[in-house]
Amino acid sequence: MTVRSSVLALLRQGPRYGARIKADFEQATGGAWTLNVGQVYTTLGRLERDGLVAGETRAPAPDRGARTTRGTVSPASPDRPDSGDVTVTYRLTEQGAAEADGWWTTPVDRETPARDELVIKLALAISTPGVDPYAVITTQRTATMRHLRELTRRKLALDPTTPGGTAPSTSADRLVLEHQLFTVEAELRWLDHVEAVLSHAPRERKHDEHPDT
Amino acid sequence: MSTPTPEVVLRLTDVHRVHGSGETAVRALDGVSLDLCAGELVAVMGPSGSGKSTLLNLAGALDLPTSGTVEIEGVSTTSLRPADLAALRRRKVGVVFQDLNLIPSLTAAENIALPLELDGQRVSETRRQALAALDELGLKLLADRYPDQMSGGQQQRVAIARALVGERRLVLADEPTGALDSVTGEGVLTVLRQRCDAGAAGLLVTHEARFAGWADRVVYLRDGRVVDSTEPAGMPRSARSAS
């Protein structure tokens, strides 16, 4: 879904061929997520099938043989790979443009919770005899806090006002890193909250390590 | 970030602080030990009532331990008479609170110069030091502004400059970003981090993990005890959670 919408959004800026879509996507997201070319072409193939994009094949240059960059959706080509260039440029159809515009006005779906190992682990820790949930929380908090410090260091390295920092403050790298920072902070706050709730809960089971007050 | 041979600026050794006595006694701190070196920023986190404020008050010599020792630049706070304790606070320790740090009727430069003047230094000299402190933080243009002519973030940065003016090297910051939006808060943390990188020792109490992330080490308090502490920067890291 994300790849599909991203591809549409990039094509909304103008026609592009597959490798360019991959490069533009990675640049816009600060290199935090890579997209393999096969994935791009699979997506383009589906979008073409659904009538949202249209591919336009450019003839190979006469002195070079044909080489498809269309990847998996390219029909078996009579031309051998590496023997030339057939570049397929994709553009949005009217319907595709409407869908691309609609993405910006539609909120991202948060209704379906992602399966999170930590949530599952803590839920099981609380209900499993012999497991100390406080120890699980403490171990996780230390690790998450370290990760947060590492992210902070990376962010400071991007800040042009700190020595060695380079990128402008609105760069994609920074945007992505700050999202991670806020997410990690939320996890720490949640861990604190779970710990507080546990310590106020009636004693359903023994927590020998944890003092009562 | 830390100097090769770190110099301990603040040392807490098995510190206990009990408020009240008998059945109503409250153990605010229960055997806390902590070293804070020059060049180091340590964050203290923990739920309400975990002992963070008590820790800060003891570190700033505003309160004395029931047992154990608190040493500021090698001097134990329990060894001093009240007048000497006040002088130690004035000369060695700077405190930054969440708000209301600056005296409204004094300019930024005058606010910073105040602790030096109270210590008997010449006014021209205190002004020179105050301007130098502002200049180091890129705040020279604020020198003659009154607090109500500055934004909240500017006031906090001036407060940090004041906390570290003269020979003071220990800054205790109690939720210095509490009343600020996240971007302004970062500006304050940047200044605090810079001062620590330049050799100050900072103890930062915060409930915002994002800001604790700027510290070299994070200490968690619960029920007056240190329950968790991330390792000092520069030491080998154990496995880190990646996702």
Side-chain angles (χ1 to χ4, degrees):
Chain A
M1 194 60 207
T2 312
V3 174
R4 177 189 158 98
S5 302
S6 303
V7 168
L8 287 172
L10 288 169
L11 288 176
R12 190 71 173 106
Q13 298 170 31
R16 279 161 167 73
Y17 53 93
R20 172 83 190 281
I21 291 172
K22 169 184 155 68
D24 286 351
F25 175 85
E26 287 172 3
Q27 199 196 348
T29 55
W33 295 280
T34 54
L35 209 53
N36 68 53
V37 176
Q39 214 176 348
V40 173
Y41 282 109
T42 309
T43 306
L44 285 167
R46 290 195 191 121
L47 290 170
E48 196 170 26
R49 181 197 65 200
D50 297 345
L52 300 176
V53 308
E56 184 187 303
T57 308
R58 276 204 204 127
D63 56 329
R64 298 149 89 187
R67 172 177 165 268
T68 178
T69 52
R70 213 174 157 179
T72 53
V73 286
S74 176
S77 164
D79 307 295
R80 285 266 166 259
D82 299 317
S83 57
D85 279 322
V86 173
T87 309
V88 183
T89 304
Y90 292 88
R91 58 174 181 77
L92 291 182
T93 62
E94 215 167 282
Q95 198 192 339
E99 182 149 339
D101 293 342
W103 192 42
W104 304 117
T105 55
T106 313
V108 173
D109 179 22
R110 295 293 191 212
E111 296 289 317
T112 322
R115 198 183 303 197
D116 186 299
E117 183 187 344
L118 179 58
V119 181
I120 294 166
K121 188 196 264 195
L122 258 185
L124 288 172
I126 291 166
S127 59
T128 304
V131 176
D132 176 11
Y134 294 102
V136 175
I137 290 171
T138 300
T139 303
Q140 186 62 45
R141 188 163 50 201
T142 307
T144 305
M145 193 68 224
R146 278 201 192 111
H147 182 51
L148 185 137
R149 276 171 45 211
E150 177 56 33
L151 291 170
T152 306
R153 256 190 286 254
R154 273 192 248 160
K155 184 177 106 115
L156 293 182
L158 288 177
D159 189 338
T161 63
T162 55
T166 46
S169 59
T170 53
S171 76
D173 301 24
R174 187 178 165 131
L175 181 84
V176 172
L177 265 177
E178 287 186 336
H179 176 257
Q180 290 175 290
L181 278 165
F182 276 89
T183 307
V184 166
E185 183 188 41
E187 180 174 302
L188 288 165
R189 291 183 60 189
W190 175 71
L191 286 169
D192 287 347
H193 179 74
V194 172
E195 185 181 64
V197 168
L198 276 177
S199 63
H200 289 116
R203 301 278 117 161
E204 289 163 17
R205 49 185 296 252
K206 268 165 74 179
H207 303 303
D208 292 329
E209 283 83 357
H210 186 62
D212 272 319
T213 51
Chain B
M1 272 176 202
S2 52
T3 49
T5 45
E7 195 183 337
V8 177
V9 174
L10 173 71
R11 170 167 286 165
L12 276 71
T13 311
D14 194 25
V15 167
H16 295 255
R17 180 69 176 99
V18 181
H19 296 293
S21 61
E23 287 199 356
T24 58
V26 176
R27 290 185 168 276
L29 280 187
D30 196 7
V32 170
S33 296
L34 176 75
D35 276 5
L36 181 62
C37 296
E40 198 179 26
L41 177 63
V42 171
V44 181
M45 299 192 76
S48 310
S50 60
K52 302 190 299 282
S53 301
T54 304
L55 178 69
L56 217 57
N57 286 338
L58 290 167
L62 293 163
D63 187 14
L64 296 173
T66 308
S67 69
T69 55
V70 175
E71 292 163 84
I72 299 169
E73 309 247 12
V75 177
S76 167
T77 56
T78 35
S79 70
L80 299 176
R81 293 173 301 139
D84 294 329
L85 202 59
L88 179 80
R89 277 200 296 268
R90 206 165 54 233
R91 289 186 190 137
K92 305 285 190 191
V93 189
V95 186
V96 180
F97 299 102
Q98 180 171 324
D99 49 21
L100 302 173
N101 282 293
L102 304 178
I103 296 170
S105 58
L106 300 179
T107 64
E110 288 165 351
N111 262 288
I112 295 172
L114 187 63
L116 301 173
E117 281 179 41
L118 289 174
D119 224 28
Q121 294 193 32
R122 297 163 66 96
V123 173
S124 60
E125 172 59 18
T126 62
R127 167 96 185 159
R128 192 193 62 74
Q129 286 196 48
L131 291 179
L134 282 169
D135 196 25
E136 264 182 282
L137 299 179
L139 300 172
K140 211 168 184 177
L141 291 172
L142 301 180
D144 296 316
R145 289 212 205 156
Y146 291 91
D148 65 4
Q149 298 170 323
M150 292 184 260
S151 69
Q154 287 171 333
Q155 290 187 40
Q156 289 305 67
R157 285 180 284 169
V158 168
I160 291 170
R162 184 184 58 185
L164 291 167
V165 75
E167 60 176 287
R168 291 168 163 193
R169 292 201 292 175
L170 175 60
V171 56
L172 308 173
D174 192 358
E175 302 278 5
T177 57
L180 304 173
D181 65 69
S182 62
V183 174
T184 311
E186 284 198 354
V188 172
L189 253 293
T190 303
V191 165
L192 191 58
R193 182 72 256 182
Q194 279 170 359
R195 300 317 297 149
C196 291
D197 288 343
L203 196 63
L204 165 71
V205 168
T206 182
H207 68 275
E208 288 179 274
R210 250 176 325 110
F211 293 133
W214 292 56
D216 298 300
R217 192 152 41 106
V218 184
V219 172
Y220 277 93
L221 286 181
R222 194 177 62 210
D223 305 322
R225 290 186 209 166
V226 176
V227 291
D228 191 11
S229 174
T230 59
E231 85 290 4
M235 283 178 67
R237 299 163 149 261
S238 52
R240 176 194 304 157
S241 82
S243 57

